[in-house]
Amino acid sequence: MDDRLHEILAQVSMIHKSLLEDEKIDDVDYVLEYIENFDDDVKDHYLKLLLQYYFQKNSISNFKELLLLGYKFDLRMDDIKQAFLNIKSNDENVIEFLEDNVVFFKDTNYEEPLNDIYEYYKNSDDDIKVALEESLELLRRNRYICAFAYKNKTEEYARFFINEDLLESLKRDLPYLLK
């Protein structure tokens, strides 16, 4: 299996590079046709990677199309950060679309992504800030982000993410998260 995994990863990398170079990666129908003749395991790995790529690029229509085909990926804070940095309008975005997943996900890497999100928000114009608000509220409703922010409250970016109501609930019901 190890040899096959290396082969799969190499093919996935070649597919992705080719689609990026040809600037066809945003055309899901083209992508599905392009990978049709590859082995099923290669297609499966690539479409999972592509779903993550579409999430990070905040390509909501492409993301939804792959979700409808049954693909999933493990959401990480870095994925959310990338998607957040790609919100450019008040249109629906992937963070809002995956609302429950964003509110309840758990990760171990918060510092750099939260700082980058904070900096992006702080340095955005007022129109973009309005577009970012709902996604920020979802992040502030995540108990793990709130706990991290509380434990790092000396940092300006961390204070930005503290949700006082959620914090009181955590102090009462889940105090071990705050230690």
Side-chain angles (χ1 to χ4, degrees), residues 15 25 28-29 33 47 73 88-91 94 96 102 105 119 134 137 145 149 151 157 164 173:
I15 291 168
I25 199 156
V28 175
D29 295 329
E33 188 176 308
L47 291 174
F73 74 102
K88 306 293 183 199
S89 72
N90 219 3
D91 297 336
V94 293
E96 293 170 14
V102 171
F105 91 98
E119 290 296 324
E134 190 168 337
E137 285 309 309
I145 290 174
K151 290 187 269 186
Y157 76 90
E164 292 297 336
D173 301 330

Side-chain angles (χ1 to χ4, degrees), residues 145-167:
I145 290 174
C146 185
F148 176 85
Y150 174 76
K151 290 187 269 186
N152 294 278
K153 60 186 169 210
T154 59
E155 301 292 334
E156 185 177 344
Y157 76 90
R159 288 190 307 269
F160 180 73
F161 287 96
I162 292 177
N163 174 331
E164 292 297 336
D165 292 336
L166 179 56
L167 181 58

Side-chain angles (χ1 to χ4, degrees), residues 5 9 16-17 27 29 39 54 63 68 70 76 80 88-89 110 123 136 154 158 166-167 170-171 176:
L5 182 59
L9 294 176
H16 197 65
K17 182 179 179 192
D27 182 347
D29 295 329
D39 292 338
Y54 287 152
F63 183 76
L68 286 173
R76 301 169 313 147
I80 291 172
K88 306 293 183 199
S89 72
Y110 294 106
N123 296 318
L136 278 174
T154 59
L166 179 56
L167 181 58
L170 293 176
K171 286 178 179 177
Y176 63 89

Side-chain angles (χ1 to χ4, degrees), residues 86-122:
N86 281 303
I87 297 173
K88 306 293 183 199
S89 72
N90 219 3
D91 297 336
E92 180 183 31
N93 65 61
V94 293
I95 294 172
E96 293 170 14
F97 180 73
L98 287 185
E99 177 179 347
D100 288 342
N101 297 64
V102 171
V103 170
F104 293 108
F105 91 98
K106 180 180 181 182
D107 200 340
T108 57
N109 176 30
Y110 294 106
E111 183 175 0
E112 182 254 333
L114 290 178
N115 187 50
D116 290 351
I117 288 169
Y118 170 71
E119 290 296 324
Y120 178 69
Y121 179 82
K122 186 173 84 171

